Amino acid sequence: MDAQVDLLTDKEIEDRLAELPGWSVTDGSLTRTYTFERHLPAAAMVIHVAQIQEELNHHSELTLGYNTLTVAVNTHSAGHAVTALDFTLAHRVEEIATGHGAS
Ligand SMILES: C[C@H](O)[C@H](O)[C@H]1CNC2=NC(N)=NC(=O)C2=N1
């Protein structure tokens, strides 16, 4: 049984989004689309994000395009609400993005 996940108020979500330029809550998920110079760097970042997701045991929907990678996450165990766990993942992804040539 997953531990009870604390829900966030709209204000808390807005405050946390202010710390994550480029991220938004879109269609119920915390979302960011990264753009790359070429396809393979985008594909390589998928593996790195997957490693982080396994470490956190928290998983997003990843959409790989020609030179884009979209990360979209909410918390399934909280009824697909956006929670602090989603922001934790977003910050971890942000930490690696520049190194992958993402913008
Ligand atoms: C059994 C496993 O721990 C749970 O299903 C984890 C896996 N990854 C998850 N990812 C997300 N986004 N939300 C969850 O509630 C979640 N739960």
Side-chain angles (χ1 to χ4, degrees), residues 42-56:
M45 187 165 160
V46 170
I47 293 296
H48 200 167
V49 172
Q51 289 174 317
I52 292 169
Q53 293 182 155
E54 285 292 280
E55 175 198 331
L56 297 178

Side-chain angles (χ1 to χ4, degrees), residues 4-5 21 23 29 31 36-37 65 72 77 81 88 96-97:
Q4 182 61 30
V5 178
W23 290 77
S29 294
T31 305
F36 303 77
E37 290 296 318
S77 60
T88 297
I96 67 162

Side-chain angles (χ1 to χ4, degrees), residues 12-68:
E12 286 169 326
I13 289 174
E14 285 308 314
D15 291 346
R16 291 170 183 243
L17 283 173
E19 300 168 2
L20 287 167
W23 290 77
S24 65
V25 175
T26 303
D27 297 331
S29 294
L30 184 58
T31 305
R32 169 80 149 91
T33 295
Y34 293 98
T35 302
F36 303 77
E37 290 296 318
R38 300 190 57 78
H39 184 58
L40 285 181
M45 187 165 160
V46 170
I47 293 296
H48 200 167
V49 172
Q51 289 174 317
I52 292 169
Q53 293 182 155
E54 285 292 280
E55 175 198 331
L56 297 178
N57 191 32
H58 202 69
H59 303 83
S60 67
E61 300 299 310
L62 296 172
T63 305
L64 177 64
Y66 160 62
N67 67 331
T68 59

Side-chain angles (χ1 to χ4, degrees), residues 2 57-60 73-78 86:
D2 290 310
N57 191 32
H58 202 69
H59 303 83
S60 67
V73 62
N74 59 49
T75 302
H76 310 158
S77 60
D86 304 310

